[in-house]
Amino acid sequence: MTSKRDIKVLTELLNLEGMKVVSHRQYKGLGVILQIESVSNESICPRCGIKTRQLHQNHKYIIKDLPWGEQQLFLEINKRQFKCKKCQKPFTEDLHFVGKRRKYTKRLANKTVEEVLKSDVRTVARTNNLTTREIEKMLEDASKGNME
């Protein structure tokens, strides 16, 4: 059982603004999975700018993050979909640390791009447990300025 103190420490170590760790699991040979969620219970509609708390759907995703030491780190995220009270249209909350339709954090992408500049795609893919396609997407995003 994970204590509140442990959860607080994990949240601080994760260092993702606006997010908190809910639980963690460790799998031998795979790594650590941190279940995280937003500390806010509302989101802003991208169409009209109105804040809403009306939850429409939940979608769970697992994304790769920077490793913790020798351990691979994965984040299990409940990416919520809200329904705007004004527009009556659903929208997905924005998670600032992961790009749209990406399965890895922006900080992992930044580190990977830096490594590729000093090495090559295949070596970086092999040493970081990534596919060459993921690295190609990271490089494409970096060239378009989509990594901040």
Side-chain angles (χ1 to χ4, degrees):
M1 184 83 175
T2 307
S3 71
K4 286 184 180 181
R5 183 176 174 274
D6 291 342
I7 293 295
K8 185 177 184 211
V9 168
L10 288 171
T11 298
E12 289 173 8
L13 287 171
L14 184 61
N15 192 28
L16 287 176
E17 186 179 330
M19 302 303 288
K20 67 180 177 183
V21 174
V22 178
S23 69
H24 76 286
R25 300 180 304 280
Q26 186 167 3
Y27 295 97
K28 196 171 190 167
L30 176 65
V32 176
I33 298 177
L34 296 179
Q35 183 181 3
I36 65 173
E37 64 183 28
S38 176
V39 296
S40 176
N41 60 355
E42 61 189 18
S43 193
I44 298 172
C45 176
R47 291 178 192 86
C48 68
I50 301 294
K51 282 185 184 179
T52 186
R53 292 181 181 201
Q54 187 176 347
L55 195 59
H56 183 63
Q57 290 181 343
N58 289 296
H59 299 282
K60 297 235 182 204
Y61 293 94
I62 294 183
I63 62 169
K64 295 176 189 175
D65 195 15
L66 292 171
W68 279 4
E70 297 294 316
Q71 295 285 315
Q72 289 289 316
L73 180 64
F74 300 91
L75 306 177
E76 182 179 297
I77 303 168
N78 179 23
K79 193 170 183 180
R80 303 169 297 178
Q81 196 175 52
F82 291 88
K83 188 165 186 180
C84 181
K85 290 181 180 182
K86 184 177 179 185
C87 303
Q88 294 299 308
K89 301 255 188 219
F91 66 93
T92 303
E93 71 181 319
D94 180 48
L95 299 175
H96 62 87
F97 56 91
V98 62
K100 195 172 189 172
R101 294 188 178 102
R102 297 295 182 253
K103 297 287 185 177
Y104 46 81
T105 61
K106 289 180 180 180
R107 62 188 179 189
L108 175 61
N110 285 327
K111 177 186 165 279
T112 303
V113 168
E114 287 176 16
E115 288 181 20
V116 168
L117 294 174
K118 298 173 188 168
S119 183
D120 65 90
V121 172
R122 289 178 199 256
T123 302
V124 173
R126 193 172 36 256
T127 58
N128 291 291
N129 198 25
L130 295 165
T131 66
T132 55
R133 182 70 186 128
E134 285 175 315
I135 294 177
E136 288 166 2
K137 280 290 190 189
M138 291 173 184
L139 292 167
E140 186 180 309
D141 288 346
S143 71
K144 293 177 182 175
N146 295 339
M147 304 274 278
E148 285 91 50

